[in-house]
Amino acid sequence: MRSWSIMQDGTPFLKYYVQAGLTAAYLGELIPPLDSTQSTFGQTKLFAFNVTEGEDATSRLLGSMRGYTVQASATPDYNSVEVEVLEYNDGSLNGTISLQGIVTVGKTNEIAVVGGTGDFRGIRGYAVISFISSSDTLALYYHELFVN
């Protein structure tokens, strides 16, 4: 199955799963909250996760998702500013895609596709990120990228 498709209206999109390892050492706090007695506001985390073709962690590896989040809400909604770089290679498409936006944990989020390199040079559009499931060690997200 090729991950790059053309929708009926001609809009290209890319779809993949992000296997977010919750116990990995690199997921730890980079910067602690500004005031941990009141909220997690300001907490910053770096991440590096595998990107796969299917939901199963052992499905075909397409690349990695690297980036950081900064907790940008002092309320329990857990809004974070997220910056991601997708490093992608499915054998026919190869390059990076940069994404950024506000995300809320456990919800479906829409963020901006702001650029890319290689086969994705000059890409613009948006991504829909859907939470699928989680366990003690892994959270699974489904990404769909819609580009101009």
Side-chain angles (χ1 to χ4, degrees):
M1 176 178 90
R2 188 171 169 175
S3 299
W4 185 261
S5 303
I6 301 295
M7 294 173 40
Q8 286 181 342
D9 68 358
T11 305
F13 75 100
L14 191 69
K15 55 188 178 178
Y16 54 88
Y17 292 87
V18 175
Q19 310 282 340
L22 301 178
T23 58
Y26 49 76
L27 191 61
E29 285 181 354
L30 175 64
I31 300 171
L34 298 177
D35 180 0
S36 61
T37 62
Q38 298 296 315
S39 72
T40 57
F41 183 79
Q43 181 182 49
T44 303
K45 292 185 179 185
L46 292 173
F47 60 84
F49 302 133
N50 286 336
V51 171
T52 59
E53 187 172 55
E55 288 187 33
D56 192 287
T58 62
S59 69
R60 189 173 90 146
L61 187 65
L62 299 174
S64 65
M65 181 67 70
R66 301 174 195 186
Y68 63 89
T69 61
V70 178
Q71 185 70 30
S73 177
T75 60
D77 58 11
Y78 299 105
N79 286 329
S80 295
V81 174
E82 187 160 302
V83 175
E84 306 176 347
V85 176
L86 167 64
E87 190 173 15
Y88 188 90
N89 185 353
D90 70 0
S92 63
L93 293 168
N94 185 14
T96 65
I97 299 174
S98 297
L99 305 101
Q100 64 184 31
I102 301 291
V103 297
T104 302
V105 173
K107 303 229 175 169
T108 298
N109 295 280
E110 185 176 304
I111 63 175
V113 173
V114 297
T117 65
D119 291 329
F120 307 110
R121 188 175 294 115
I123 196 171
R124 296 282 189 271
Y126 67 97
V128 176
I129 301 171
S130 303
F131 171 76
I132 303 296
S133 64
S134 68
S135 68
D136 290 341
T137 59
L138 186 73
L140 180 65
Y141 294 89
Y142 179 61
H143 286 209
E144 293 178 288
L145 278 58
F146 301 88
V147 298
N148 303 327

